Amino acid sequence: MTIKQRFLISYIGGILIAGFSLLAIICILFYVTTGAIPTPNTLYQTITKQRSLSPEEELAYVELRNVAKTNPDKLLSTEEELTKNIRQFEAESLGVVIRKDDHILYYSKGLVEKSLIFHFPQFDANNIETKGTIDNVGRLYRYIKYDFYFSDKTKGSILVLKKENNFLDFMTKWGIAIILVILCISVAGVLFINHLLKKTIISPLENLGRVMSEIKEGELVTTPIKTEGHTAKEVKQLTSNFEKMREALITSTEEQHNLENNRKELIASISHDLKTPITSIIGYVEGLLEGVADSPEKQEKYLRTIHTKSLALNHLIEELFLYSKLDAEAIPFHYERIDILLFLKHIVEEFQLNHNQVNIRLNANEEVPLYVSIDRMQMNRAIMNLLENSIKFKRKNESLAIILDVSEVNSTIVLRVKDNGQGIPSQQLPYVFDHFYRGEEARTTDTGGSGLGLAIVKQIVEKHHGKLQIQSELHVGTVVSIMLEKV
């Protein structure tokens, strides 16, 4: 069953339950009060008994009662004066009935004698119950009664009836029309409410279902769902959450696609970089086995080449293993608050011991300590990779100079590694931090690089929630900036 049908049934059910509940309450109250189940007749009788007499009714009743008290036989003759008074009462929408025993002596025009005899109120000499209603051929009349005795001791009664449109008359003439109007209003109200429900709830949910079907078929990028201002708050929230979910799904799919492409590129790069040194090693080993190297000098040259290629292959495997562990977040980082200047001093000293031919210096204001939160070992590896990269790409026939410059900019510690090396062409700068990128079409390993050094630096800096930037000019030098938050 649809939501629309459920709402419709609930509204109709609510109206019916409310109506029946109200009717039941009225019936219970009436039964407790009167001891009878209410009907239109009993309700009308109850109302008329409690209603006060109009001046016309009271005047006619008093006059006829006085006649019945003083000279009841006068009612038998219906003298001209009495008849004139009765006609005057009837002209004011009143009815008059005179009874003697079981015979009706007089009744006003419009009344039916047989019905009057059948429904006439019981005789009450004490006149305790003087007011009530009487049924005359299905029509209810309000009456006031006075019982008395004629001179011959026979029972006599006079009724003064109010000629008015009662409930049954009204319902007989207008009941069907009123019921039809009420039904039309009810149907119109239900249709209006149903229209509002469709506009504010059903249609937005249908649009949401349509977009879900499109997503199911693989159409993630579809027209965004628009919600009107009158849309239900819950539906707006649902639509908003769905749009966020779809955006996240699109982003996730794009990331998955990129990861898949990176995985394919990584496999291709690994295959290439492993195949090249292995092919060289196999070639030189076969040369030794086949006797191509027929002199001790050639054999030594072949063996040194095999050794160099093996070291390069081993270095590549180590870098690749480190890169994969960083990418999989398998390496734990232990952060500690340290003075970056003291940390860099140790790195400079260690680097100079192994590369005394390189001119390296630290440029910073040592009077002001600058604290950062880093993992000593991993950040040491990142900076060392930058320094070794400078050595690999230094200019020929010119000594290499490296400057480590440290400064503070808006609560950020900026470490710049500057060199006077070969530099990098501007078109290659956006790709230098990609894995296995060397900027060389032939992808040679003459420099001894694996193509993973800068990619590892990027991963380590990002694990420290830092940023990495590079500036370079061909044949001038390169500046790599590491930005870390000051603590």
Side-chain angles (χ1 to χ4, degrees):
M1 187 180 293
T2 63
I3 295 178
K4 182 178 179 181
Q5 292 172 333
R6 292 178 185 274
F7 275 122
L8 185 61
I9 292 173
S10 64
Y11 283 134
I12 296 175
I15 293 172
L16 292 176
I17 291 172
F20 283 124
S21 300
L22 182 60
L23 183 60
I25 291 171
I26 293 174
C27 292
I28 291 171
L29 291 176
F30 192 88
Y31 182 79
V32 170
T33 305
T34 64
I37 300 297
T39 64
N41 289 350
T42 55
L43 286 173
Y44 182 77
Q45 290 173 3
T46 303
I47 293 171
T48 54
K49 283 183 180 180
Q50 297 174 355
R51 189 188 303 173
S52 60
L53 296 176
S54 65
E56 295 82 5
E57 291 176 287
E58 189 171 357
L59 178 61
Y61 173 72
V62 170
E63 186 170 338
L64 292 174
R65 185 188 63 181
N66 290 336
V67 173
K69 281 183 177 182
T70 58
N71 188 10
D73 293 337
K74 189 177 181 180
L75 297 172
L76 297 174
S77 60
T78 59
E79 297 178 355
E80 183 178 350
E81 182 181 353
L82 180 61
T83 302
K84 183 180 178 181
N85 291 339
I86 291 175
R87 294 286 184 270
Q88 186 177 353
F89 299 151
E90 291 173 345
E92 295 175 351
S93 300
L94 296 178
V96 177
V97 179
I98 302 174
R99 185 184 70 166
K100 183 179 182 183
D101 282 337
D102 296 330
H103 302 286
I104 303 297
L105 300 179
Y106 178 83
Y107 58 92
S108 298
K109 187 178 179 180
L111 300 175
V112 178
E113 183 179 1
K114 290 183 178 181
S115 182
L116 287 172
I117 295 173
F118 183 78
H119 294 290
F120 207 93
Q122 292 181 356
F123 182 83
D124 180 14
N126 296 319
N127 288 300
I128 297 175
E129 293 289 339
T130 60
K131 291 192 296 183
T133 57
I134 186 172
D135 186 347
N136 189 251
V137 195
R139 297 179 62 184
L140 294 175
Y141 289 83
R142 185 180 66 176
Y143 70 83
I144 183 168
K145 173 175 68 74
Y146 181 73
D147 294 320
F148 60 94
Y149 289 99
F150 286 98
S151 60
D152 58 0
K153 303 302 180 181
T154 57
K155 298 176 181 179
S157 301
I158 57 172
L159 289 180
V160 178
L161 295 89
K162 178 65 176 176
K163 284 185 173 183
E164 60 181 357
N165 290 329
N166 54 41
F167 179 77
L168 291 178
D169 291 335
F170 182 77
M171 290 303 294
T172 301
K173 293 180 179 179
W174 305 104
I176 296 176
I178 291 174
I179 291 173
L180 290 176
V181 170
I182 292 174
L183 287 175
C184 290
I185 294 174
S186 301
V187 171
V190 170
L191 290 176
F192 178 72
I193 294 173
N194 187 60
H195 172 71
L196 290 180
L197 284 174
K198 184 176 181 181
K199 197 172 183 180
T200 58
I201 298 177
I202 306 300
S203 294
L205 290 179
E206 288 176 348
N207 293 335
L208 191 61
R210 174 182 54 79
V211 176
M212 285 181 177
S213 298
E214 293 177 358
I215 291 178
K216 180 182 177 182
E217 299 298 327
E219 296 291 335
L220 292 178
V221 183
T222 60
T223 304
I225 303 174
K226 294 182 180 179
T227 55
E228 303 294 337
H230 48 255
T231 304
K233 182 179 178 181
E234 292 82 358
V235 178
K236 281 185 178 180
Q237 187 65 38
L238 177 63
T239 304
S240 175
N241 291 339
F242 176 79
E243 286 295 329
K244 292 178 182 178
M245 181 196 72
R246 183 173 65 171
E247 291 174 3
L249 186 59
I250 292 173
T251 302
S252 176
T253 303
E254 291 176 351
E255 290 179 354
Q256 186 67 26
H257 181 70
N258 293 334
L259 287 174
E260 183 65 20
N261 290 336
N262 289 339
R263 185 185 66 83
K264 293 178 181 178
E265 292 176 3
L266 183 62
I267 293 174
S269 300
I270 293 172
S271 301
H272 180 277
D273 282 63
L274 290 177
K275 184 177 180 181
T276 302
I278 290 175
T279 302
S280 299
I281 292 172
I282 292 174
Y284 282 106
V285 170
E286 288 178 348
L288 289 172
L289 293 174
E290 295 173 359
V292 176
D294 52 1
S295 64
E297 292 80 7
K298 279 189 176 183
Q299 291 175 355
E300 183 181 358
K301 179 182 178 181
Y302 276 33
L303 289 174
R304 287 188 179 278
T305 304
I306 293 171
H307 181 259
T308 302
K309 296 293 182 181
S310 299
L311 290 177
L313 184 61
N314 184 64
H315 180 69
L316 172 62
I317 293 172
E318 289 179 351
E319 295 255 280
L320 181 61
F321 182 64
L322 174 61
Y323 178 83
S324 63
K325 290 183 70 175
L326 288 171
D327 193 50
E329 299 184 354
I331 297 180
F333 278 67
H334 305 286
Y335 301 100
E336 53 184 311
R337 184 174 181 268
I338 63 172
D339 186 347
I340 189 67
L341 300 180
L342 296 177
F343 176 71
L344 292 175
K345 280 184 179 180
H346 292 299
I347 292 179
V348 170
E349 293 173 359
E350 180 183 352
F351 184 80
Q352 283 182 329
L353 289 176
N354 299 321
H355 305 88
N356 53 16
Q357 76 279 9
V358 177
N359 179 18
I360 182 172
R361 63 186 176 90
L362 177 62
N363 183 19
N365 183 7
E366 299 184 10
E367 296 180 359
V368 181
L370 301 175
Y371 290 95
V372 291
S373 178
I374 61 173
D375 183 301
R376 289 176 178 270
M377 185 175 70
Q378 301 302 334
M379 187 57 69
N380 181 81
R381 175 178 284 138
I383 296 174
M384 280 297 184
N385 277 8
L386 293 177
L387 298 177
E388 291 174 0
N389 213 56
S390 296
I391 294 176
K392 294 171 187 174
F393 297 98
K394 70 182 188 69
R395 280 187 283 180
K396 295 180 180 179
N397 303 323
E398 186 173 340
S399 60
L400 178 64
I402 301 176
I403 299 176
L404 299 182
D405 181 83
V406 182
S407 61
E408 180 182 356
V409 179
N410 297 328
S411 299
T412 300
I413 306 301
V414 181
L415 166 62
R416 295 180 179 89
V417 180
K418 306 178 183 178
D419 65 39
N420 61 344
Q422 299 176 13
I424 305 171
S426 58
Q427 66 271 20
Q428 295 179 2
L429 285 177
Y431 312 105
V432 294
F433 293 111
D434 294 345
H435 53 258
F436 290 106
Y437 184 81
R438 295 196 187 94
E440 303 170 7
E441 294 182 3
R443 294 183 57 81
T444 62
T445 56
D446 294 339
T447 59
S450 64
L452 290 172
L454 290 180
I456 291 174
V457 173
K458 180 183 178 182
Q459 283 192 323
I460 292 175
V461 172
E462 288 179 348
K463 296 294 183 184
H464 286 80
H465 305 289
K467 295 181 180 179
L468 198 62
Q469 291 181 350
I470 187 168
Q471 297 172 323
S472 186
E473 186 176 349
L474 196 61
H475 307 306
V476 175
T478 302
V479 180
V480 179
S481 301
I482 299 176
M483 287 160 282
L484 300 172
E485 185 179 354
K486 181 183 177 181
V487 295

